[in-house]
Amino acid sequence: MNILLKRVYETPHRDDGTRILVDRLWPRGMTKERAKIDVWLKEITPSHELRTWYQHDIDKWPDFKRRYFAEIDAHPEAVRELLRYAEQGTITLVYAAKAPEHNHALALKQYLEQNR
């Protein structure tokens, strides 16, 4: 299972495989043609309440992941869909967040790798 991460503002590449947008909102200023998104899974994103609570505060990262994993657990059909894509080949989780070390796409990748 090969799961990559990429900001939506980075240039798509053929090695990205299936590009899956994992943001609840469409990225600001990005056209569908430029984004080259294959699948948009809104239901696998953190809830509005969790995003509002987190506010990209790095000190909250461990708690954010724990809470987000609990939210992901509540959407097993979305997890199965992601894993099906991953079994078919490379997938790239595409996100808009600015922080590459502390964002929901990274947490989602870790979740998928732990729960294959």
Side-chain angles (χ1 to χ4, degrees):
M1 185 162 60
N2 191 21
I3 302 172
L4 306 175
L5 299 171
K6 188 176 267 190
R7 277 195 83 213
V8 71
Y9 304 104
E10 295 177 54
T11 304
H13 191 273
R14 62 184 168 90
D15 292 343
D16 289 346
T18 302
R19 291 173 53 85
I20 303 171
L21 181 62
V22 292
D23 281 349
R24 189 166 302 276
L25 302 174
W26 188 261
R28 188 173 295 170
M30 181 59 62
T31 65
K32 290 181 180 181
E33 293 76 28
R34 272 186 50 216
K36 301 222 183 304
I37 299 300
D38 299 305
V39 179
W40 187 6
L41 285 179
K42 297 177 193 177
E43 60 273 7
I44 200 78
T45 63
S47 67
H48 173 74
E49 295 77 19
L50 182 56
R51 288 183 301 118
T52 301
W53 171 82
Y54 178 48
Q55 293 285 324
H56 299 286
D57 180 347
I58 295 170
D59 292 335
K60 294 179 179 177
W61 177 245
D63 282 337
F64 170 81
K65 283 183 23 176
R66 183 182 51 75
R67 292 177 183 196
Y68 182 36
F69 288 180
E71 289 186 358
I72 295 170
D73 285 341
H75 293 93
E77 63 287 337
V79 172
R80 282 192 296 274
E81 184 175 353
L82 276 173
L83 291 173
R84 274 194 303 272
Y85 282 114
E87 289 167 1
Q88 296 171 9
T90 299
I91 64 170
T92 298
L93 302 179
V94 181
Y95 63 95
K98 293 178 183 175
E101 303 87 17
H102 299 96
N103 68 67
H104 70 284
L106 175 61
L108 177 56
K109 178 181 190 266
Q110 293 170 351
Y111 178 94
L112 293 172
E113 290 173 342
Q114 292 170 4
N115 294 284
R116 1 178 162 178

